[in-house]
Amino acid sequence: MTQQDVERVARHNEGRQREYESSELIRLLTDESTPAETKRAVLTYLQPWSNAFQRMISARVTFEHDPELRALALEHQQEEIGHDRILARSRADDRRPVWDPVIEAGASWFVDQFAVLPGVERAVLAHLALEAGSLVFSQAGTRAFPEDEYFELHDEADVEHLEMGYELLRRRSDWRVDDVVTVLDRAWQVIGVVSDRIAECARRDTVAA
C-alpha cells in the first residue's frame, strides 16, 4: 500500500478519536463539576471491560497464524497482561463486582471479530481502535485521577501501541483502505455504545445513592 493510503486511514481514525473526545464518558471525567463519587463509579463499570480486554487480546493471539502478525499480537498481549488487576487495585475501596449486558455484548463483539477478521484487520482493531480509544480515555482518566497507577500506565503505553498499528500498515500490502475504514467505523461505534453505557451506569448509581 502507499503512504497516501496509510495517511487516509490515519486521518479517518483521528477524526473518530476526536469524536470520542466529546463523548458523554470523556466529558464526565474531564468536567470539574462531576461529583467525585460519579467519577469513581466509572471505574466500577470499567472493570468488566478491562477484564474482557484480556479475553480480546488472547483471542487475537489464538486465531492469528501469520508469523509477523502473531509476533505482534504476542508482544501486545505481554504488555497488557495484568492491567485488569492494576485497575482492581485502584478500586481498593470498591470491590463490588458488576455485570452489565451492554458492556458484555460490546466486549463479545470484539472477541468475535478477533476470531473471524483477516490478520491485518485484527491488528487494526487492536491498535487503531481499542488502543486509540484507550488513549483518549486514559488522558481523561489522568485528569480525573491524578497519579493513579492504572491511568499513568495506559497514558504512556497506549501511544506506543497505537503507533504499532500504523507501522504495520506501512509494512504490509495485504489490506484495502475501504475494508480497514469499515472495521474502524464499526469498532468505534461499539466503543461509543459501551462508553455511553458506563457513563449512564455511573450517573445512575450515584444518583440512586
Side-chain angles (χ1 to χ4, degrees):
M1 307 301 287
T2 67
Q3 180 62 25
Q4 287 78 12
D5 291 326
V6 178
E7 289 174 357
R8 180 183 163 193
V9 170
R11 285 195 303 272
H12 185 82
N13 203 43
E14 288 162 5
R16 298 310 298 260
Q17 283 179 257
R18 287 192 295 272
E19 290 175 10
Y20 186 50
E21 287 171 358
S22 63
S23 68
E24 179 68 18
L25 179 59
I26 302 305
R27 285 187 284 121
L28 182 156
L29 288 172
T30 56
D31 187 345
E32 293 183 359
S33 68
T34 301
E37 60 268 25
T38 304
K39 293 182 180 181
R40 295 296 303 179
V42 166
L43 303 186
T44 300
Y45 287 93
L46 178 63
Q47 188 72 61
W49 178 257
S50 182
N51 296 346
F53 188 83
Q54 299 295 317
R55 300 199 304 272
M56 297 177 207
I57 58 176
S58 294
R60 179 187 175 196
V61 170
T62 297
F63 291 100
E64 188 52 74
H65 302 291
D66 178 287
E68 180 186 22
L69 297 176
R70 182 172 174 79
L72 184 64
L74 283 166
E75 179 183 355
H76 188 207
Q77 183 184 44
Q78 283 299 119
E79 293 178 358
E80 293 286 349
I81 286 176
H83 287 196
D84 53 330
R85 295 193 295 274
I86 294 172
L87 176 61
R89 287 202 300 271
S90 295
R91 298 176 49 239
D93 59 338
D94 178 16
R95 292 291 189 176
R96 62 192 173 104
V98 296
W99 183 91
D100 181 82
V102 176
I103 298 171
E104 293 297 330
S108 295
W109 182 86
F110 275 97
V111 171
D112 182 62
Q113 294 304 297
F114 281 122
V116 301
L117 285 175
V120 171
E121 292 176 33
R122 280 195 198 101
V124 164
L125 196 66
H127 295 279
L128 302 190
L130 284 171
E131 290 294 347
S134 180
L135 176 61
V136 173
F137 180 79
S138 295
Q139 289 171 340
T142 300
R143 291 176 59 182
F145 304 100
E147 300 180 5
D148 182 278
E149 178 186 11
Y150 178 82
F151 289 108
E152 284 186 343
L153 174 65
H154 276 262
D155 201 17
E156 297 173 4
D158 293 342
V159 174
E160 177 186 349
H161 292 159
L162 175 59
E163 185 55 32
M164 283 179 177
Y166 291 123
E167 284 294 333
L168 180 70
L169 291 183
R170 294 184 188 104
R171 291 196 305 271
R172 305 280 295 213
S173 60
D174 51 337
W175 59 277
R176 295 175 64 252
V177 172
D178 289 346
D179 293 338
V180 165
V181 167
T182 296
V183 168
L184 286 172
D185 282 343
R186 291 175 179 174
W188 280 110
Q189 287 182 67
V190 176
I191 289 170
V193 168
V194 170
S195 296
D196 287 348
R197 181 62 172 177
I198 291 173
E200 177 189 353
C201 290
R203 292 191 188 278
R204 179 200 63 200
D205 281 15
T206 49
V207 167

